Amino acid sequence: MKLRQLVAAGAIASSASLANAATSEQTQFVVEDIRVEGLQRVALGAALTYLPVEVGDRLNSFRVSQAIRSLYSSTHFESVEVLRDGNTLVIKVAERPTISNIIFEGNDDIKDEQLQESLDGNGIRVGEPLDRTVLTSIENGLKDFFYSIGKYNADVSAIITPLPRNRVDLKLLFEEGDAAEIRQINIVGNQEFSDSELMEDLELQFDTPWWDFLSETRYQQQTLQGDMETVKNHYMDRGYLRFNIDSTQVSMTPEKDGIYIALNVSEGEQYTISGVELVGDLLGNEEYIEKVLPLTKGELYNQAEVTYTEEFIAKFLGRFGYAYPEVTTVPEINDEDKTVKLTLSVDPGKRIYVRRINFNGNTVTADDVLRQNVNQMEGAWLSNNLLESSKSQLSRLTYMKEVEFETTRIPGQEDKVDVDFNVEEQPSGSFNAGIGYGDRTKLSLQAGIQQDNFLGTGKRVGVNLSTVSYQQSAQITYNDPFFTIDGISLGGSVGYSEFDGSDFNVIQYNSKRLSVGANVGYPIDEINRINFGMTYSNVELYNTGYYEQTEQFYNQFRGGDPEAPIKYDSYLASVSWSRNTLNRGLFPTAGSSQRATFSITTPNSDVNYFKTVFDTKFYFPLSRDNKWSVLARLRLGYGNGYGDINGNDQILPFTENFTAGGADTLRGFENNTVGPRGVQLFTNGRLIGPDGETYPGDASDAQIAISPRSLGGNAMALGGLELIVPTPFVDEDMDNSVRTSVFFDVGNVWDTEFDYNKYKDLTQANTQNAGRLIDYSDWKQYRSSAGLSVQWISPMGPMVFSFSKAIQEREGDDARFFTFNIGQTF
């Protein structure tokens, strides 16, 4: 802006001097007519409005200078010339060209949107006149930016291409080059701490090993300023109150591709705290604050603890509505005995109340739904704790992408503010529809929808219909997370399915199941919740194949007819506890979640069993922006029967067994294929089973056959580690919609009731596709895999693409390199 003003002033002064010369040689005259020449886009009437001279005015040198200055200030003209033709005032102008198009080329470090925003601030946009003087300052400003990030060979050129009708194309051509690498960092004057100790926490590094890809070896001026503050804090946190960085030298190689940095420091001596005093209004909480203060007489001075103390007192007062307190630490330094007395001056200010809470950015979700998740109340004190907890609760909603808040003071009312929550929504459900054909599945049709924010009400509604060769099912689910104003939730589900295991990756059986369930949840606090549920199921099993592991369950119901269908009713009661501190509902990068569920059938059920499952996930951010993070997850499960029927001990129905394999359990293995397989027993070529024959212990020709299909087990342990990394070639705006991770999965499903000793010495009749018999009761028969996973929150719902390599597999396992799933993320 300054450059533009100087150029404009120079042009005005030059024109004014010409005008003075003209008027000094000629007699001043009264203007009888005014003629403007050179107008193309600007209308004559518009040009005359900028001219402070009218017909009948006497023209002199001052009036000429005033006219030129006024015409230039209109920003429409590139040059202005004032002439006299008799008593006619002639104004010759050259209009500034209109910008027809703006093109950016070669810019990698600066986005087009950022560049256009900068140009808009300087009045350079399509359709506006081009001010060439501003371009020079923009070129220099962009060069300064590249220099600040170590690109000293960078160049920026503005290329103007004339077009017909006084228009131009403007191209900003960037030659960024490579950033200068840091060759060496030297710290001079340090005696108490070595260079390696001081540089350990610096963001700028040099001479790093090839595998340390997180290190920043490119020079950046802002990063250096932050590292200087890090060095200072290192000393100040250890009592060196007089520490100072005396000077900083940054030099580069002649080729401008290498940087040498030197910091000259004065360490000084260590100071201890001689006393701590609190002054001001602490709202009667002096005794409590004094007890929790980390600052203690006789200890070394610590700047971090001083800052923490100031922030703690400010946040503590913020709980009671004093949102803008002033907490200042005044040190009294005694250089003779190397002590410092700290006086904390506290001014709480006025208590602040919330006038109104507003929501911006929610185009689908109703304000009332968002307000249900906000703990801060209108008309109440402004509490920073309540605002932060409200942000966390909103962020955990699966249909929220970003949540931020700000407080705005109301003019004329010093004790009132408005709170504005700015939210960005994202797809809140999944949709699936498809038709396919396969050797095993034959013709398949499926359709379903699940919406976590149905019609913007915050309620979860799901409808799923599916028909494939192995299953036909229909299910409706519903959940209202705020059935009452206190946050009590209410939900339910109705489902029906028909299943044929012979056409899927499980043992042979057919089933029909009708289930109806309801659940209610109670909030314990902001992060803990407890849920109670009851589900009625009516199950019919028929066309059952014979497997050793299923006979004990079948024998509880069969009478004299081994071909008769098995029917049973169950009433499953459940209780679950959940805890959630994740920073987001989808694609979290920090925090943890835990869920423990215990379910048991009531004694009046036809089958008596229990199941318990525990899930936990921990996210550990590796970078300040949370783009790099580590996920550690664990899932444990166990189930079994209780009581007996007709003298037979009850066991967990095999239809309730745990299974593994697939995107949400063990990637790299086909869905539901990991774990125990069905065992069949033969003698004399005949199957020993429901026809009445039993295994003769002394039969020398007894054999076993292992089914290639999975049976599942009553125990499960699954875990994994994932390194979450920035997704390459994806815009930053998509960070919360696309996730890439490198993973390692490990786990197993086993059957604690399986008797391996009963079958281990028998001859195995087949090995094709099934593998050898192993001890299915051994939890150590684990599987593991590693690979790359990409997850995308698409308009149709979550999609997961996994490329996996099985590391530890067992004979007969169905390992898969590529898997694709819709509708589930983790």
Side-chain angles (χ1 to χ4, degrees):
M1 186 60 72
K2 291 182 178 180
L3 180 60
R4 180 173 64 181
Q5 293 172 346
L6 289 174
V7 174
I12 292 172
S14 175
S15 300
S17 63
L18 292 174
N20 287 335
T23 54
S24 64
E25 294 176 1
Q26 303 178 18
T27 307
Q28 300 180 6
F29 67 98
V30 176
V31 178
E32 296 180 355
D33 191 15
I34 299 175
R35 188 168 71 246
V36 182
E37 299 177 355
L39 294 177
Q40 298 183 37
R41 177 177 49 83
V42 181
L44 176 61
L48 292 176
T49 59
Y50 294 105
L51 193 64
V53 178
E54 298 179 356
V55 173
D57 291 347
R58 179 173 292 277
L59 191 66
N60 54 34
S61 59
F62 172 76
R63 299 296 295 276
V64 169
S65 299
Q66 190 179 35
I68 293 174
R69 186 180 297 110
S70 178
L71 289 170
Y72 271 116
S73 66
S74 71
T75 71
H76 293 298
F77 306 112
E78 202 162 50
S79 65
V80 178
E81 186 179 3
V82 178
L83 301 173
R84 175 182 177 182
D85 183 8
N87 288 334
T88 299
L89 176 64
V90 181
I91 308 294
K92 288 188 175 183
V93 298
E95 291 184 2
R96 288 177 175 170
T98 302
I99 300 174
S100 176
N101 192 22
I102 300 177
I103 304 171
F104 307 112
E105 186 176 309
N107 53 305
D108 293 326
D109 283 336
I110 310 179
K111 294 183 179 180
D112 289 1
E113 295 80 6
Q114 294 174 302
L115 289 170
Q116 189 58 60
E117 184 178 345
S118 175
L119 294 180
D120 289 344
N122 288 275
I124 297 180
R125 58 178 67 90
V126 174
E128 296 293 328
L130 174 63
D131 187 346
R132 300 174 190 268
T133 60
V134 177
L135 286 180
T136 303
S137 64
I138 291 176
E139 289 175 343
N140 293 332
L142 290 172
K143 289 178 183 178
D144 289 341
F145 166 77
F146 286 115
Y147 294 163
S148 70
I149 61 173
K151 293 192 172 185
Y152 292 100
N153 289 312
D155 188 32
V156 182
S157 303
I159 301 175
I160 301 173
T161 304
L163 299 174
R165 301 190 303 277
N166 198 28
R167 297 176 301 122
V168 294
D169 274 349
L170 173 61
K171 177 190 287 187
L172 285 178
L173 182 61
F174 296 83
E175 295 181 8
E176 295 185 353
D178 296 326
E181 296 283 334
I182 299 174
R183 301 286 178 83
Q184 193 169 3
I185 301 176
N186 294 317
I187 301 177
V188 182
N190 53 311
Q191 301 294 329
E192 300 297 331
F193 303 99
S194 65
D195 288 3
S196 59
E197 288 180 278
L198 295 176
M199 288 190 286
E200 183 178 357
D201 295 327
L202 299 189
E203 192 170 345
L204 292 178
Q205 298 288 333
F206 70 96
D207 194 25
T208 58
W210 64 268
W211 48 264
D212 191 2
F213 50 85
L214 291 178
S215 296
E216 180 58 77
T217 59
R218 300 192 315 171
Y219 172 74
Q220 296 191 41
Q221 185 177 359
Q222 290 183 341
T223 306
L224 176 60
Q225 294 296 326
D227 283 344
M228 291 170 60
E229 193 66 25
T230 299
V231 173
K232 182 178 180 181
N233 290 339
H234 183 90
Y235 278 91
M236 297 288 282
D237 294 347
R238 290 162 177 79
Y240 293 90
L241 191 55
R242 294 296 193 186
F243 172 82
N244 186 53
I245 298 180
D246 299 325
S247 62
T248 305
Q249 289 88 38
V250 179
S251 57
M252 71 179 70
T253 61
E255 296 80 12
K256 298 182 180 180
D257 60 352
I259 295 290
Y260 294 86
I261 301 173
L263 304 179
N264 298 287
V265 303
S266 297
E267 293 180 326
E269 297 186 40
Q270 289 180 306
Y271 286 71
T272 58
I273 299 175
S274 61
V276 180
E277 182 180 1
L278 290 171
V279 297
D281 185 5
L282 292 170
L283 310 177
N285 296 287
E286 291 85 353
E287 184 176 350
Y288 170 76
I289 293 178
E290 287 177 352
K291 288 181 179 179
V292 299
L293 286 184
L295 303 174
T296 306
K297 178 180 178 180
E299 292 188 352
L300 287 175
Y301 175 84
N302 188 316
Q303 180 63 44
E305 290 188 351
V306 171
T307 303
Y308 168 79
T309 301
E310 294 175 346
E311 293 175 350
F312 169 78
I313 295 175
K315 289 181 178 180
F316 180 79
L317 296 176
R319 298 179 183 178
F320 307 102
Y322 297 89
Y324 304 103
E326 293 184 4
V327 183
T328 307
T329 302
V330 181
E332 297 179 27
I333 302 175
N334 189 328
D335 290 321
E336 293 183 1
D337 59 5
K338 300 299 182 290
T339 61
V340 56
K341 179 183 177 182
L342 302 177
T343 302
L344 284 86
S345 176
V346 181
D347 180 9
K350 290 187 176 182
R351 176 172 279 176
I352 306 299
Y353 295 84
V354 176
R355 183 185 70 168
R356 187 177 297 115
I357 297 177
N358 304 310
F359 298 94
N360 304 310
N362 50 311
T363 58
V364 176
T365 311
D367 281 9
D368 291 345
V369 175
L370 299 179
R371 201 175 299 276
Q372 289 171 340
N373 293 275
V374 174
N375 299 322
Q376 175 70 61
M377 296 290 108
E378 293 178 343
W381 305 333
L382 176 66
S383 170
N384 50 16
N385 278 8
L386 294 179
L387 288 180
E388 289 293 342
S389 65
S390 300
K391 175 185 174 181
S392 297
Q393 288 189 203
L394 288 170
S395 299
R396 293 185 196 117
L397 298 175
T398 56
Y399 43 89
M400 283 295 126
K401 186 175 183 180
E402 290 286 347
V403 179
E404 297 293 341
F405 70 84
E406 59 183 359
T407 57
T408 305
R409 286 195 164 185
I410 301 172
Q413 302 185 53
E414 296 183 358
D415 62 342
K416 287 186 175 62
V417 297
D418 284 345
V419 178
D420 295 313
F421 281 92
N422 301 305
V423 304
E424 182 179 354
E425 297 169 311
Q426 66 182 0
S428 57
S430 61
F431 169 79
N432 62 79
I435 180 172
Y437 184 86
D439 292 338
R440 175 170 294 180
T441 61
K442 307 303 179 184
L443 182 66
S444 63
L445 300 169
Q446 52 187 337
I449 184 171
Q450 177 168 306
Q451 184 65 245
D452 291 348
N453 186 22
F454 183 68
L455 299 179
T457 63
K459 298 179 176 64
R460 178 179 298 174
V461 177
V463 178
N464 282 279
L465 303 173
S466 175
T467 173
V468 294
S469 63
Y470 56 84
Q471 185 178 42
Q472 296 78 44
S473 64
Q475 185 180 40
I476 300 175
T477 59
Y478 172 85
N479 184 68
D480 184 354
F482 279 91
F483 180 69
T484 71
I485 195 173
D486 298 324
I488 295 177
S489 64
L490 180 66
S493 64
V494 178
Y496 176 79
S497 68
E498 295 184 5
F499 181 81
D500 184 354
S502 61
D503 286 331
F504 195 53
N505 292 329
V506 295
I507 61 173
Q508 176 188 344
Y509 73 93
N510 288 68
S511 71
K512 295 180 181 179
R513 178 188 292 265
L514 172 66
S515 62
V516 179
N519 62 81
V520 60
Y522 298 88
I524 300 174
D525 53 32
E526 297 170 6
I527 62 175
N528 290 277
R529 189 176 189 86
I530 189 168
N531 286 270
F532 300 93
M534 178 66 73
T535 301
Y536 163 75
S537 295
N538 173 264
V539 180
E540 178 182 351
L541 302 177
Y542 58 98
N543 291 338
T544 56
Y546 165 73
Y547 302 94
E548 287 285 286
Q549 299 100 312
T550 61
E551 278 305 285
Q552 184 177 352
F553 176 74
Y554 290 151
N555 289 337
Q556 298 175 115
F557 300 95
R558 281 177 174 154
D561 183 4
E563 303 296 330
I566 295 172
K567 300 180 180 180
Y568 58 88
D569 295 329
S570 65
Y571 300 87
L572 187 68
S574 63
V575 57
S576 65
W577 160 79
S578 61
R579 179 181 180 274
N580 191 338
T581 63
L582 299 176
N583 61 339
R584 282 200 296 266
L586 283 177
F587 290 168
T589 54
S592 67
S593 68
Q594 292 78 38
R595 183 178 181 86
T597 302
F598 177 78
S599 55
I600 186 170
T601 57
T602 58
N604 62 322
S605 301
D606 294 335
V607 290
N608 292 329
Y609 67 89
F610 65 90
K611 290 178 70 175
T612 181
V613 178
F614 175 72
D615 277 288
T616 183
K617 297 176 183 178
F618 288 90
Y619 290 85
F620 304 96
L622 299 180
S623 59
R624 296 176 183 176
D625 58 7
N626 285 359
K627 291 185 178 180
W628 295 78
S629 185
V630 170
L631 163 62
R633 58 187 179 88
L634 177 67
R635 187 181 188 197
L636 303 174
Y638 177 75
N640 217 326
Y642 72 91
D644 63 82
I645 294 181
N646 301 326
N648 296 311
D649 289 339
Q650 296 225 40
I651 63 173
L652 182 71
F654 68 90
T655 57
E656 300 294 332
N657 278 351
F658 299 109
T659 59
D664 60 343
T665 54
L666 273 172
R667 287 161 287 191
F669 296 88
E670 179 60 49
N671 291 338
N672 307 318
T673 60
V674 171
R677 302 184 183 280
V679 177
Q680 295 176 317
L681 188 62
F682 292 85
T683 183
N684 297 321
R686 299 177 62 190
L687 184 67
I688 302 177
D691 57 1
E693 283 200 40
T694 58
Y695 167 60
D698 57 353
S700 59
D701 60 346
Q703 293 182 324
I704 58 171
I706 307 300
S707 170
R709 296 188 175 95
S710 173
L711 177 70
N714 69 329
M716 169 188 62
L718 302 170
L721 289 173
E722 287 193 56
L723 174 63
I724 299 168
V725 302
T727 303
F729 313 115
V730 172
D731 195 68
E732 288 185 5
D733 296 338
M734 296 287 290
D735 281 348
N736 292 338
S737 300
V738 180
R739 164 166 289 182
T740 301
S741 61
V742 180
F743 66 83
F744 172 76
D745 290 346
V746 63
N748 191 24
V749 172
W750 67 98
D751 183 0
T752 62
E753 302 298 314
F754 182 74
D755 186 2
Y756 176 65
N757 292 326
K758 181 178 179 180
Y759 311 104
K760 67 177 182 177
D761 296 325
L762 300 180
T763 302
Q764 185 166 324
N766 71 320
T767 59
Q768 185 178 7
N769 299 326
R772 293 281 180 180
L773 174 71
I774 62 175
D775 187 356
Y776 298 132
S777 67
D778 184 4
W779 65 271
K780 296 186 292 297
Q781 300 285 341
Y782 67 91
R783 280 80 163 172
S784 63
S785 64
L788 175 71
S789 176
V790 179
Q791 302 176 57
W792 174 35
I793 306 298
S794 73
M796 292 180 59
M799 295 187 178
V800 184
F801 306 85
S802 297
F803 302 87
S804 314
K805 171 64 177 175
I807 299 175
Q808 178 66 59
E809 58 182 308
R810 305 296 169 181
E811 186 179 353
D813 283 347
D814 189 0
R816 295 295 176 94
F817 172 72
F818 174 74
T819 56
F820 166 70
N821 293 81
I822 298 180
Q824 52 188 333
T825 62
F826 53 93

Short mmCIF file of all heavy atoms in Angstrom, two decimals, residues 684-705:
data_model
loop_
_atom_site.label_atom_id
_atom_site.label_comp_id
_atom_site.label_asym_id
_atom_site.label_seq_id
_atom_site.Cartn_x
_atom_site.Cartn_y
_atom_site.Cartn_z
N ASN A 684 -16.28 -96.86 10.04
CA ASN A 684 -16.77 -97.77 9.00
C ASN A 684 -17.49 -97.00 7.90
O ASN A 684 -18.50 -97.46 7.35
CB ASN A 684 -17.71 -98.83 9.58
CG ASN A 684 -17.01 -99.73 10.58
OD1 ASN A 684 -15.84 -100.08 10.38
ND2 ASN A 684 -17.71 -100.10 11.65
N GLY A 685 -16.99 -95.76 7.65
CA GLY A 685 -17.59 -94.96 6.58
C GLY A 685 -18.89 -94.31 6.97
O GLY A 685 -19.55 -93.70 6.14
N ARG A 686 -19.33 -94.50 8.20
CA ARG A 686 -20.62 -93.93 8.63
C ARG A 686 -20.38 -92.80 9.63
O ARG A 686 -19.48 -92.85 10.47
CB ARG A 686 -21.49 -95.01 9.25
CG ARG A 686 -21.84 -96.15 8.29
CD ARG A 686 -22.65 -97.20 9.01
NE ARG A 686 -23.93 -96.65 9.48
CZ ARG A 686 -24.73 -97.30 10.31
NH1 ARG A 686 -24.40 -98.51 10.75
NH2 ARG A 686 -25.86 -96.74 10.71
N LEU A 687 -21.22 -91.78 9.55
CA LEU A 687 -21.14 -90.63 10.45
C LEU A 687 -21.71 -91.01 11.80
O LEU A 687 -22.80 -91.57 11.89
CB LEU A 687 -21.93 -89.46 9.86
CG LEU A 687 -21.88 -88.13 10.62
CD1 LEU A 687 -20.47 -87.55 10.55
CD2 LEU A 687 -22.88 -87.15 10.02
N ILE A 688 -20.98 -90.71 12.84
CA ILE A 688 -21.47 -90.97 14.20
C ILE A 688 -22.19 -89.71 14.67
O ILE A 688 -21.60 -88.65 14.77
CB ILE A 688 -20.32 -91.31 15.15
CG1 ILE A 688 -19.56 -92.53 14.63
CG2 ILE A 688 -20.84 -91.54 16.55
CD1 ILE A 688 -18.37 -92.89 15.46
N GLY A 689 -23.46 -89.80 14.91
CA GLY A 689 -24.17 -88.61 15.31
C GLY A 689 -25.59 -88.89 15.70
O GLY A 689 -25.87 -89.84 16.42
N PRO A 690 -26.53 -88.11 15.19
CA PRO A 690 -27.92 -88.18 15.65
C PRO A 690 -28.65 -89.44 15.24
O PRO A 690 -29.79 -89.64 15.64
CB PRO A 690 -28.55 -86.93 15.02
CG PRO A 690 -27.69 -86.62 13.84
CD PRO A 690 -26.32 -87.02 14.23
N ASP A 691 -28.04 -90.34 14.43
CA ASP A 691 -28.72 -91.57 14.07
C ASP A 691 -28.65 -92.62 15.16
O ASP A 691 -29.13 -93.75 15.01
CB ASP A 691 -28.14 -92.14 12.77
CG ASP A 691 -26.64 -92.40 12.89
OD1 ASP A 691 -26.10 -92.14 13.98
OD2 ASP A 691 -26.04 -92.85 11.90
N GLY A 692 -27.99 -92.31 16.30
CA GLY A 692 -27.97 -93.23 17.42
C GLY A 692 -26.63 -93.87 17.65
O GLY A 692 -26.36 -94.37 18.74
N GLU A 693 -25.78 -93.91 16.63
CA GLU A 693 -24.47 -94.49 16.83
C GLU A 693 -23.60 -93.58 17.66
O GLU A 693 -23.70 -92.35 17.56
CB GLU A 693 -23.79 -94.76 15.48
CG GLU A 693 -24.33 -96.01 14.77
CD GLU A 693 -23.34 -96.50 13.73
OE1 GLU A 693 -22.13 -96.47 14.03
OE2 GLU A 693 -23.78 -96.90 12.67
N THR A 694 -22.74 -94.18 18.46
CA THR A 694 -21.79 -93.40 19.24
C THR A 694 -20.39 -93.90 18.95
O THR A 694 -20.19 -95.00 18.44
CB THR A 694 -22.08 -93.53 20.75
OG1 THR A 694 -22.02 -94.91 21.12
CG2 THR A 694 -23.45 -92.97 21.09
N TYR A 695 -19.42 -93.10 19.30
CA TYR A 695 -18.03 -93.44 18.99
C TYR A 695 -17.55 -94.59 19.85
O TYR A 695 -17.55 -94.51 21.07
CB TYR A 695 -17.15 -92.21 19.22
CG TYR A 695 -15.67 -92.53 19.24
CD1 TYR A 695 -15.05 -93.11 18.14
CD2 TYR A 695 -14.92 -92.30 20.38
CE1 TYR A 695 -13.71 -93.41 18.16
CE2 TYR A 695 -13.57 -92.58 20.42
CZ TYR A 695 -12.96 -93.14 19.29
OH TYR A 695 -11.64 -93.44 19.32
N PRO A 696 -17.13 -95.72 19.20
CA PRO A 696 -16.55 -96.82 19.98
C PRO A 696 -15.08 -96.53 20.25
O PRO A 696 -14.29 -96.40 19.32
CB PRO A 696 -16.71 -98.03 19.04
CG PRO A 696 -16.68 -97.42 17.66
CD PRO A 696 -17.27 -96.04 17.78
N GLY A 697 -14.73 -96.40 21.49
CA GLY A 697 -13.38 -95.99 21.84
C GLY A 697 -12.31 -96.91 21.33
O GLY A 697 -11.17 -96.51 21.14
N ASP A 698 -12.63 -98.20 21.07
CA ASP A 698 -11.59 -99.11 20.63
C ASP A 698 -11.63 -99.35 19.12
O ASP A 698 -10.98 -100.25 18.61
CB ASP A 698 -11.72 -100.46 21.35
CG ASP A 698 -13.11 -101.07 21.12
OD1 ASP A 698 -13.96 -100.38 20.54
OD2 ASP A 698 -13.30 -102.23 21.53
N ALA A 699 -12.42 -98.57 18.36
CA ALA A 699 -12.51 -98.77 16.92
C ALA A 699 -11.23 -98.28 16.26
O ALA A 699 -10.85 -97.13 16.40
CB ALA A 699 -13.72 -98.03 16.37
N SER A 700 -10.62 -99.18 15.50
CA SER A 700 -9.33 -98.82 14.89
C SER A 700 -9.52 -98.03 13.60
O SER A 700 -8.56 -97.42 13.12
CB SER A 700 -8.53 -100.09 14.60
OG SER A 700 -9.26 -100.95 13.72
N ASP A 701 -10.73 -98.07 13.02
CA ASP A 701 -10.93 -97.38 11.74
C ASP A 701 -11.63 -96.03 11.92
O ASP A 701 -12.11 -95.44 10.95
CB ASP A 701 -11.73 -98.25 10.78
CG ASP A 701 -13.11 -98.58 11.35
OD1 ASP A 701 -13.31 -98.37 12.55
OD2 ASP A 701 -13.96 -99.05 10.57
N ALA A 702 -11.77 -95.53 13.14
CA ALA A 702 -12.42 -94.24 13.36
C ALA A 702 -11.59 -93.12 12.75
O ALA A 702 -10.36 -93.12 12.83
CB ALA A 702 -12.61 -93.98 14.84
N GLN A 703 -12.30 -92.18 12.11
CA GLN A 703 -11.64 -91.04 11.47
C GLN A 703 -12.40 -89.76 11.80
O GLN A 703 -13.57 -89.80 12.20
CB GLN A 703 -11.60 -91.23 9.95
CG GLN A 703 -10.73 -92.38 9.48
CD GLN A 703 -10.72 -92.46 7.96
OE1 GLN A 703 -11.73 -92.21 7.32
NE2 GLN A 703 -9.58 -92.83 7.40
N ILE A 704 -11.70 -88.66 11.60
CA ILE A 704 -12.35 -87.35 11.76
C ILE A 704 -12.19 -86.56 10.46
O ILE A 704 -11.24 -86.78 9.70
CB ILE A 704 -11.76 -86.52 12.93
CG1 ILE A 704 -10.26 -86.31 12.74
CG2 ILE A 704 -12.08 -87.16 14.26
CD1 ILE A 704 -9.67 -85.33 13.74
N ALA A 705 -13.16 -85.70 10.22
CA ALA A 705 -13.10 -84.78 9.07
C ALA A 705 -13.29 -83.37 9.59
O ALA A 705 -14.14 -83.12 10.47
CB ALA A 705 -14.18 -85.13 8.06
#
